[in-house]
Amino acid sequence: MNNSDKIYTLAVAGVQRLIPYKAGKPIEELERELGLTQIIKLASNENPLGPGKKALEAIASALPELALYPDGSGFLLKQALADKYAVDDSQITLGNGSNEILELVARAFLTPEHEAVFSQHAFAVYPIVTQAVGATAVVVPALNYGHDLDAMLLAITEKTRLVFIANPNNPTGTLLSQDSLAQFIEALPDTCVCVLDEAYFEFVNDVEAINSIAWLKDHPNLLITRTFSKAYGLAGLRIGYGLSSPQMSDILNRVRQPFNNNSLALVAALAALSDDEHLQQTITVNAQGMQQLVDGFKVLGLEWVPSAGNFVLVDLKQAGLPIYEALLRKGVIVRPVGVYELPNHLRISIGTKIENQLFLKALTDSLADVR
Ligand SMILES: *Cc1c(COP(=O)(O)O)cnc(C)c1O
């Protein structure tokens, strides 16, 4: 060990074992590397339509106020969310992306003596926030790429303080039924907090059937997280929120930094909430794009995991990384999912019609190259 590396031995044990989160390759980086100009990125489940007009206008109007600290309570945004979901504003916690809510709940509830339960192939941030506070991650084998709720219940002990469930799940796109989730939450001991990560719920076909908010009344240990990063097209601004009991929200607010949400994010999110046209267009483009990709996979004889989100996991029946690299050389960025224990799959975010078309052509060529 050289002298500079000794610092690793001082880090919290869980941090020493962490594999850093690998984000989708930025377009600029690939441009620099390959000198390409026509690059499409279908790697991070971003909104291919971009932000809505209303959000952009709100950002422009707020620019002159940038010298001032943002409203640390996020009053207006919380009120709008409270109206939208018919909850009290004391039940809302705003985060710097919903990722921050995941971090806050881990910091508030986990210690090195505690465990967090989540599924194999679940979101990569769950192990990060768990191990960062020195707690133990308990990973339950997936069932048909999704959460095995019965097995997860069995994995819960008196040491378990958190259980993370993503619905729909990323990167697999699997969706649990509302009935099975309701039963799970009912069966959960009240010593365990359930984090229900609904980052993609706006894309669910039967979105009216999603009634998790109704469960909050009887379950002070339930925390629902949602975000403006996906359907609302504001990933770059970093804003998300938690819905919970007022008590849970009070706890999260105790560990939150006072100005965790920047002023542009606050006004943009508020405006985005009222931009139903952009949201509906986003959902329509996504549904059409999903069909387009699935049809393309059929032609190529590939299988995929049916997805309720704005991305789809395709099974290449061969190592995904060489295909990922071949796609990169053609200027198409997708997401390899080897770190999710899915070495033969790639995750493709749904793009615009043109982007999907270019991707399918590049995939066809890449499969021929690598064979
Ligand atoms: C994208 C995503 C999030 C949202 O992250 P933000 O911090 O809100 O951008 C949360 N959970 C899952 C499963 C995701 O895929």
Side-chain angles (χ1 to χ4, degrees):
M1 191 189 323
N2 77 32
N3 243 356
S4 314
D5 279 352
K6 179 156 185 266
I7 191 85
Y8 283 113
T9 66
L10 307 178
V12 175
V15 174
Q16 291 189 37
R17 287 192 307 272
L18 268 178
I19 302 162
Y21 179 84
K22 231 175 142 193
K25 200 186 242 306
I27 289 178
E28 296 75 16
E29 191 179 318
L30 191 63
E31 274 175 356
R32 274 197 306 272
E33 283 174 14
L34 298 183
L36 294 174
T37 48
Q38 277 292 354
I39 289 175
I40 59 171
K41 184 183 178 207
L42 302 175
S44 300
N45 304 343
E46 294 143 335
N47 189 327
L49 303 180
K53 249 206 324 272
K54 286 192 177 185
L56 290 174
E57 283 166 7
I59 290 167
S61 316
L63 288 175
E65 305 299 323
L66 278 184
L68 304 178
Y69 277 104
D71 171 14
S73 73
F75 179 77
L76 291 175
L77 179 58
K78 275 200 212 169
Q79 254 197 346
L81 287 166
D83 282 351
K84 181 176 168 71
Y85 294 125
V87 297
D88 195 80
D89 56 6
S90 64
Q91 296 181 262
I92 298 167
T93 310
L94 300 179
N96 195 263
S98 56
N99 271 294
E100 191 194 15
I101 308 285
L102 303 175
E103 196 172 286
L104 294 179
V105 72
R107 273 173 36 215
F109 287 94
L110 294 176
T111 75
E113 279 74 55
H114 290 126
E115 296 175 353
V117 169
F118 49 86
S119 177
Q120 181 191 20
H121 314 318
F123 189 37
V125 168
Y126 308 153
I128 293 177
V129 299
T130 300
Q131 287 173 234
V133 294
T136 302
V138 177
V139 183
V140 177
L143 180 66
N144 300 324
Y145 296 102
H147 295 69
D148 184 343
L149 290 181
D150 292 334
M152 289 179 80
L153 261 188
L154 289 174
I156 286 163
T157 69
E158 69 276 8
K159 284 191 189 163
T160 314
R161 276 288 178 280
L162 289 185
V163 54
F164 290 99
I165 294 182
N167 200 48
N169 184 44
N170 172 20
T172 61
T174 50
L175 183 74
L176 293 160
S177 76
Q178 291 295 288
D179 281 353
S180 64
L181 260 180
Q183 279 170 28
F184 177 85
I185 287 160
E186 203 60 51
L188 206 62
D190 60 7
T191 50
C192 177
V193 170
C194 179
V195 181
L196 183 55
D197 181 341
E198 295 185 336
Y200 300 98
F201 94 98
E202 291 94 347
F203 294 105
V204 172
N205 257 334
D206 191 8
V207 72
E208 300 298 324
I210 305 266
N211 56 356
S212 47
I213 289 175
W215 307 335
L216 292 175
K217 187 164 54 70
D218 297 322
H219 299 282
N221 58 336
L222 175 60
L223 170 64
I224 300 165
T225 61
R226 295 183 176 180
T227 183
F228 288 94
S229 296
K230 307 289 160 57
Y232 289 100
L234 297 175
L237 281 179
R238 315 304 303 123
I239 184 144
Y241 54 98
L243 299 163
S244 66
S245 61
Q247 292 83 356
M248 168 78 71
S249 181
D250 175 37
I251 291 167
L252 299 180
N253 272 296
R254 293 179 191 200
V255 287
R256 162 182 91 77
Q257 286 184 38
F259 301 110
N260 61 331
N261 303 115
N262 72 73
S263 49
L264 300 185
L266 289 171
V267 295
L270 181 62
L273 269 188
S274 70
D275 196 344
D276 210 42
E277 194 184 329
H278 185 255
L279 180 64
Q280 289 313 319
Q281 197 191 357
T282 297
I283 292 167
T284 302
V285 166
N286 187 65
Q288 290 167 347
M290 182 73 79
Q291 190 59 48
Q292 187 186 356
L293 287 192
V294 159
D295 288 344
F297 296 152
K298 272 185 221 162
V299 171
L300 290 169
L302 298 174
E303 283 172 33
W304 64 94
V305 181
S307 170
N310 64 345
F311 55 89
V312 59
L313 196 60
V314 61
D315 183 356
L316 301 169
K317 306 238 160 56
Q318 60 179 304
L321 217 47
I323 304 290
Y324 161 76
E325 283 161 359
L327 284 167
L328 276 186
R329 290 192 292 272
K330 300 177 203 312
V332 179
I333 313 174
V334 299
R335 183 66 73 93
V337 279
V339 290
Y340 289 97
E341 300 183 14
L342 296 161
N344 291 351
H345 290 76
L346 290 175
R347 190 194 67 192
I348 321 298
S349 304
I350 310 300
T352 60
K353 187 171 177 185
I354 299 277
E355 288 173 329
N356 299 332
Q357 225 161 32
L358 290 171
F359 158 72
L360 285 169
K361 168 79 169 73
L363 178 63
T364 308
D365 296 346
S366 300
L367 286 167
D369 291 354
V370 173
R371 240 173 229 136

